[in-house]
Structures are given as C-alpha cells and as structure tokens.
Amino acid sequence: MINDQYPLVRIKAANAFNCILRHKNAQELVRPLLSNILTVYLQLLEKYDLESLVNSLESIVSGFSDQIGPFAVDLSRHLSNLFIKMCQKDS
C-alpha cells in the first residue's frame, strides 16, 4: 500500500484495509505484521491530514488492543508530534 506511486491509491488502500480487518481470518493474517502496518499509517498521517486515516488507525488499535501494548509508547509519541505539528500549522 505504501509503495504505490499515487497518493490517492495509498489513502484508499489504508481506508479499505479497515474493512478487510472485520474478517476474523484477515485479523489472524495481519497480526504478525502489526508493527509494519502501524508504521505505514503513521507515515500516511504525516503526509496527509485526513480524518478517514485517523478513523482507520483507531479501528486497528481497537481491533488489536491486546497486541498494541508494545507499540503504545511509540504510537503515542508519534501521534502527539503530529498533533503539535497540526496545531502549529493552524496558528
């Protein structure tokens, strides 16, 4: 998803990924790749300020709440930096 040259394809893929995760089999396949998936979402959020990406990331965090612990500190740090960046941009 992150390797596509077109930003719209990357964004649409990230949003669609949220729908895929509603299937139990998909969740099991994705579980080992959770770190990579979170990294992709954070990279997209860094470039594109879209609420749909935030909603998709929120669904992933909720859906994998038992496994998110090891990533929580880095995820929180990254999201807080994005928040500060957005606040500075709006000022």
Side-chain angles (χ1 to χ4, degrees):
M1 138 172 80
I2 193 69
N3 296 327
D4 196 285
Q5 65 178 343
Y6 300 106
L8 185 58
V9 172
R10 293 192 306 257
I11 292 166
K12 291 290 187 181
N15 290 334
F17 189 71
N18 187 32
C19 296
I20 292 169
L21 290 178
R22 292 183 186 147
H23 301 282
K24 201 70 158 162
N25 292 340
Q27 290 176 4
E28 295 305 317
L29 292 171
V30 166
R31 194 174 313 282
L33 305 171
L34 189 56
S35 176
N36 296 341
I37 292 165
L38 292 173
T39 300
V40 168
Y41 272 88
L42 292 174
Q43 289 171 351
L44 287 171
L45 283 168
E46 184 98 17
K47 290 182 181 181
Y48 311 105
D49 176 22
L50 295 170
E51 188 173 340
S52 63
L53 289 173
V54 174
N55 291 338
S56 292
L57 179 60
E58 181 181 5
S59 293
I60 291 170
V61 170
S62 295
F64 292 98
S65 59
D66 294 343
Q67 293 82 31
I68 209 75
F71 314 106
V73 172
D74 286 337
L75 190 59
S76 298
R77 185 180 308 124
H78 200 87
L79 290 173
S80 64
N81 287 338
L82 283 173
F83 178 74
I84 291 168
K85 182 179 167 183
M86 289 174 153
C87 287
Q88 291 171 345
K89 188 170 89 174
D90 288 342
S91 297

